[in-house]
Amino acid sequence: MWSPDLNRRAALLGLLAVSACGLTPVYGPNGAGQRLFGKVRPRDPETYQDFAFNRRLGERLGGEGTDYDLDYRITVGVVPQAITTDEVTNRYSLNGTADFVLTDRAGRVMAQGRVSNFTSYSTTGTTIATLSAEGDARSRLAEMLADQVVTRLLAASAQLPE
């Protein structure tokens, strides 16, 4: 049986092990996240989803910078989920991917990848409610994809020049 003292000891030993391996907070002093904060300029938005994506990038990485360019392509697939016996769709899933490339001013690729996520919305209300729900779902999806891109960029930021 586990005792509270044993649990505390295990937690302290775990913290000690993590601190001994050289991990540092990405947003902490001298953290690798400082190499990106306020230095990334995403491509100009073309769609509503791009605007939501860029807004979230700005929230997470600071204002637009001039050191790095971030090019991305968001692709969204719409999949019917809940179909009644009368063949009426009550719910749709939005499956999205974002391919991204971070380049420096010289055009060298610093990081690249693909992230994916999904969300859904209901169509059981009025037409206006359904359109509003779809817009909210698309905005949520863009924000989730932006969060995942930022996570990938922060993970790669240790290899960026200071």
Side-chain angles (χ1 to χ4, degrees), residues 38-125:
K39 297 178 181 178
V40 177
R41 183 187 182 287
R43 75 170 173 81
D44 292 334
E46 297 172 1
T47 66
Y48 176 78
Q49 286 176 156
D50 291 346
F51 277 99
F53 187 88
N54 283 6
R55 182 182 64 240
R56 186 62 176 165
L57 286 174
E59 290 170 1
R60 297 281 311 273
L61 292 176
E64 288 187 7
T66 58
D67 293 357
Y68 301 104
D69 289 322
L70 179 67
D71 190 21
Y72 61 87
R73 293 287 175 251
I74 297 174
T75 307
V76 178
V78 181
V79 180
Q81 283 188 316
I83 303 173
T84 66
T85 55
D86 299 332
E87 295 186 21
V88 175
T89 303
N90 289 331
R91 191 159 195 79
Y92 284 94
S93 175
L94 300 177
N95 300 328
T97 60
D99 296 302
F100 65 94
V101 177
L102 183 73
T103 56
D104 65 6
R105 284 287 145 210
R108 291 184 303 252
V109 174
M110 306 308 281
Q112 64 183 357
R114 171 182 276 187
V115 295
S116 61
N117 216 320
F118 70 95
T119 188
S120 60
Y121 65 95
S122 175
T123 63
T124 57

Side-chain angles (χ1 to χ4, degrees), residues 123-141:
T123 63
T124 57
T126 64
T127 301
I128 293 173
T130 298
L131 290 173
S132 178
E134 181 183 5
D136 288 344
R138 286 182 179 275
S139 181
R140 280 194 316 272
L141 180 61

